[in-house]
Amino acid sequence: MLLSRNYGTWLLLFLLISPSFLAPSMSQLDSPWAAKKRHMREKVRKMFYHAYENYMKHAFPHDELKPLTKSFTDSLSELGNLKLEHLPQDYNGSALTLIESLSSLVIMGNNTEFERAVIWLSENLTFNTDARINLFECNIRVLGGLIAAHILATDSTNRLIQGSYKNQLLNLAEDLGRRFLPAFDTPTGLPYAWINLKYGVMENETTETSTSGCGSLILEMGALSRLTGDPRFESAALRALRKLWSMRSSLNLLGTTLDVTTGEWIEYSSGIGAGVDSFYEYLCKAYILFGKEDYWRMFHSAYLSVQKYFRHGPWYHEADMRTGKATYWQLTSLQAFWPGLQVLVGDIGAANSSHREFVYVWEKFGVLPERYLLDHQMLHPTEKYYPLRPELAESTFYLYQATKDPWYIQVGESIVNSLNSYTKVEGGFASVRDVTTMQLEDHQHSFFLAETCKYLYLLFDDTFLVDRNYIFTTEGHPLPVLSSWHERLPETYILTNWTYAKSEQQKRRASAMSLQVCPAIAVRSGYGVQKIESACHIPDSRGDHRCFTDEECGVDSTTCRRRSCSMAGYCGLWV
């Protein structure tokens, strides 16, 4: 079920991001699962520090660790595999993995190491270097990491860096954001995929980019504008997003790759995986973070089209954006983020269904292969690797927050055990080159610390989220949901569908979803009869219930059945 605009966002904020409103924190639990969660939390903590300490010892200040050879790679830029003596003289390393680890350090309670890292970055990090970088990757990893860390460093409740922090990370983020802006100087406003940090867009630069590459910049650049007061960053990202949306087909579908100068599609086939995934994610999360109605309208239309043209039972295939006809029947590991996104909009049933299929594939191979051919029920012959991706752990975390079903704890335990069994080496955690043989590859991606370990840790210990509202970027960096960042707070944001359930220990918000109520009922308590809105209710698009298609009809609040459009043009329970 897709929640309506009126209920979806705030259900997200209080159901998922502030778990203290729905259930006691882990420290308050008194159940057989409490000991299990504490044990698994410590296993994840050890995993994180094994990866982090090896990076600091063998690769810092370069981008990422090569755990098998205990060396480094500067993977974010074209400097990639150059040896130390061949690096440009002005290159000091971007310390990518350190930046990516900052919020994880705070979440795991290591404020001392966080402060040391912030001080080092403040004194040493520079972006005035002759390096060609990928705009999308640098945005979600570096810019997002700096912004999230700045917010954590200035949050008085965290008691971090008392008196010694003077917005140095924000200054670095602003400098980086300014270096991004020349990439948007195109006839369409769609940014180049690659840019040189020192010299801007290079001559004969490729004009091809992906939907994710130009449509997944709004969270970080929007947050940068809100923090600095400089509107150029958000304006550039929003212009690109709106241009991209204008290029959709009549089916409200988009392709995978396009030309930033002509605005023409190159690859018409797309799905919810690589090249498109974070576009959908950022539409939804941008609405939550900034409150702009346009984001929700775009996401709602796109989501309905995905469900109509890509979904086949619990799976999602790819389709031609022009016709909606299936093109590739394949599961990709990046698709595993989708159940987590569905949780954010309240489509719990569909999220659970897809998530269980990903878990099945994980258990079949021990990890999640990069690509699995659904029509042949076999691995893709060349993409059999697993680069320590976080998406399954991410969706598992969201589903547990929404349902509190201990089965998801067991899934998390299985993921942790597999990672320790198959990927842990003396020098860190290594990617899997071939899931059939578990042959390893010499690469520990920074997102293993930014996302994989973080989501697993939060699955077992959500203390960081208690009494706080956050969304996580596509790279797992937390951004706070602040009323001051919203352009407006209309009446629809007032929590009219919430009531309060009191106990001797605490007063907490309760909703239909938290009480797992469907349909709407009246709950009798010591404080009188309280009406609780149905968790499944989705109003019709129009107040007069007129319609042209079934998509304009909602879900009935009494029966929780999907309403349909009659031949006379009215929504109702006709079928």
Side-chain angles (χ1 to χ4, degrees), residues 123-135:
E123 296 175 349
N124 295 278
L125 184 61
T126 178
F127 297 116
N128 189 33
T129 183
D130 182 8
R132 178 176 177 261
I133 56 92
N134 182 275
L135 178 67

Side-chain angles (χ1 to χ4, degrees), residues 25-249:
S25 64
M26 195 186 70
S27 62
Q28 296 172 301
L29 290 177
D30 183 17
S31 72
W33 291 99
K36 166 74 73 176
K37 292 171 71 175
R38 285 193 294 270
H39 173 69
M40 294 309 302
R41 175 193 65 190
E42 293 310 309
K43 289 189 72 169
V44 176
R45 190 195 301 274
K46 290 178 181 178
M47 287 170 56
F48 173 83
Y49 282 110
H50 182 69
Y52 178 80
E53 290 168 358
N54 272 285
Y55 163 75
M56 295 301 293
K57 181 178 180 180
H58 302 296
F60 175 77
H62 294 273
D63 283 353
E64 294 177 323
L65 170 68
K66 300 176 76 172
L68 299 180
T69 56
K70 298 180 181 178
S71 57
F72 66 86
T73 175
D74 286 302
S75 56
L76 192 63
S77 72
E78 282 193 325
L79 300 177
N81 296 310
L82 293 181
K83 295 186 180 296
L84 187 60
E85 59 268 24
H86 296 150
L87 291 171
Q89 289 184 352
D90 63 347
Y91 186 73
N92 296 314
S94 70
L96 173 63
T97 297
L98 180 64
I99 295 171
E100 290 258 70
S101 301
L102 291 173
S103 59
S104 296
L105 289 168
V106 175
I107 287 171
M108 296 187 189
N110 195 340
N111 295 347
T112 301
E113 184 65 15
F114 174 80
E115 182 169 351
R116 287 178 53 198
V118 169
I119 292 172
W120 187 93
L121 292 168
S122 301
E123 296 175 349
N124 295 278
L125 184 61
T126 178
F127 297 116
N128 189 33
T129 183
D130 182 8
R132 178 176 177 261
I133 56 92
N134 182 275
L135 178 67
F136 168 74
E137 294 292 346
C138 198
N139 173 72
I140 64 172
R141 297 189 185 203
V142 182
L143 184 61
L146 290 173
I147 289 172
H150 163 74
I151 293 170
L152 291 171
T154 54
D155 183 351
S156 59
T157 62
N158 287 328
R159 303 182 182 278
L160 302 173
I161 319 182
Q162 294 296 311
S164 63
Y165 181 69
K166 307 297 182 184
N167 296 335
Q168 297 97 318
L169 297 186
L170 180 60
N171 295 335
L172 285 167
E174 186 174 14
D175 176 48
L176 182 59
R178 289 188 180 128
R179 296 174 189 274
F180 285 175
L181 291 178
F184 293 85
D185 187 15
T186 64
T188 62
L190 298 167
Y192 284 95
W194 295 85
I195 189 168
N196 186 289
L197 287 176
K198 194 169 189 176
Y199 301 111
V201 178
M202 304 301 287
E203 186 177 359
N204 299 320
E205 183 59 81
T206 177
T207 58
E208 181 175 343
T209 190
S210 67
T211 299
S212 289
C214 58
S216 307
L217 306 168
I218 191 64
L219 291 187
E220 294 83 1
M221 296 191 73
L224 183 59
S225 283
R226 304 304 167 103
L227 291 168
T228 62
D230 187 339
R232 291 180 298 165
F233 311 114
E234 184 173 7
S235 296
L238 181 56
R239 181 190 175 203
L241 185 59
R242 284 176 169 161
K243 174 59 180 178
L244 187 63
W245 182 245
S246 74
M247 294 166 57
R248 70 193 186 280
S249 71

Side-chain angles (χ1 to χ4, degrees), residues 489-530:
L489 287 173
E491 290 184 2
T492 55
Y493 280 47
I494 299 173
L495 307 183
T496 55
N497 68 322
W498 289 89
T499 183
Y500 290 87
K502 289 187 177 181
S503 67
E504 293 181 0
Q505 291 78 24
Q506 63 177 346
K507 175 182 177 181
R508 65 185 182 88
R509 288 178 176 87
S511 73
M513 191 64 76
S514 68
L515 298 180
Q516 298 183 343
V517 172
C518 187
I521 64 170
V523 176
R524 185 173 299 277
S525 71
Y527 301 90
V529 176
Q530 299 171 323

Side-chain angles (χ1 to χ4, degrees), residues 9 16 103 168 245 288 309 406 431 440 467 478 505 566:
T9 298
L16 297 175
S103 59
Q168 297 97 318
W245 182 245
I288 297 164
Y309 295 105
S431 301
L440 297 179
D467 296 329
Q505 291 78 24
S566 69

Side-chain angles (χ1 to χ4, degrees), residues 190-388:
L190 298 167
Y192 284 95
W194 295 85
I195 189 168
N196 186 289
L197 287 176
K198 194 169 189 176
Y199 301 111
V201 178
M202 304 301 287
E203 186 177 359
N204 299 320
E205 183 59 81
T206 177
T207 58
E208 181 175 343
T209 190
S210 67
T211 299
S212 289
C214 58
S216 307
L217 306 168
I218 191 64
L219 291 187
E220 294 83 1
M221 296 191 73
L224 183 59
S225 283
R226 304 304 167 103
L227 291 168
T228 62
D230 187 339
R232 291 180 298 165
F233 311 114
E234 184 173 7
S235 296
L238 181 56
R239 181 190 175 203
L241 185 59
R242 284 176 169 161
K243 174 59 180 178
L244 187 63
W245 182 245
S246 74
M247 294 166 57
R248 70 193 186 280
S249 71
S250 60
L251 306 179
N252 285 330
L253 296 176
L254 294 91
T256 302
T257 57
L258 57 134
D259 189 294
V260 301
T261 57
T262 65
E264 298 294 327
W265 289 105
I266 297 173
E267 175 57 62
Y268 292 98
S269 177
S270 72
I272 59 170
V276 189
D277 49 357
S278 54
F279 166 75
Y280 298 111
E281 179 184 3
Y282 273 35
L283 286 180
C284 177
K285 291 182 177 179
Y287 174 63
I288 297 164
L289 195 61
F290 304 124
K292 188 184 288 291
E293 295 288 325
D294 287 354
Y295 297 133
W296 178 259
R297 284 194 288 266
M298 286 188 280
F299 174 77
H300 187 263
S301 298
Y303 184 84
L304 290 177
S305 293
V306 166
Q307 296 300 95
K308 181 175 181 178
Y309 295 105
F310 296 163
R311 185 178 180 183
H312 183 78
W315 302 105
Y316 290 82
H317 57 72
E318 296 179 22
D320 190 306
M321 62 173 284
R322 300 163 295 185
T323 64
K325 301 296 184 182
T327 51
Y328 302 106
W329 292 79
Q330 57 189 359
L331 171 150
T332 64
S333 61
L334 287 172
Q335 293 176 351
F337 91 100
W338 189 254
L341 181 62
Q342 290 183 303
V343 170
L344 296 189
V345 295
D347 206 347
I348 308 297
N352 177 65
S353 176
S354 294
H355 176 267
R356 286 178 181 268
E357 297 300 328
F358 283 107
V359 172
Y360 167 76
V361 176
W362 177 286
E363 291 177 342
K364 180 176 181 179
F365 295 101
V367 293
L368 196 61
E370 188 70 3
R371 199 173 297 271
Y372 183 78
L373 304 179
L374 297 173
D375 47 352
H376 299 292
Q377 290 292 297
M378 61 175 286
L379 287 170
H380 189 280
T382 60
E383 297 186 48
K384 297 186 283 187
Y385 53 90
Y386 169 67
L388 308 175

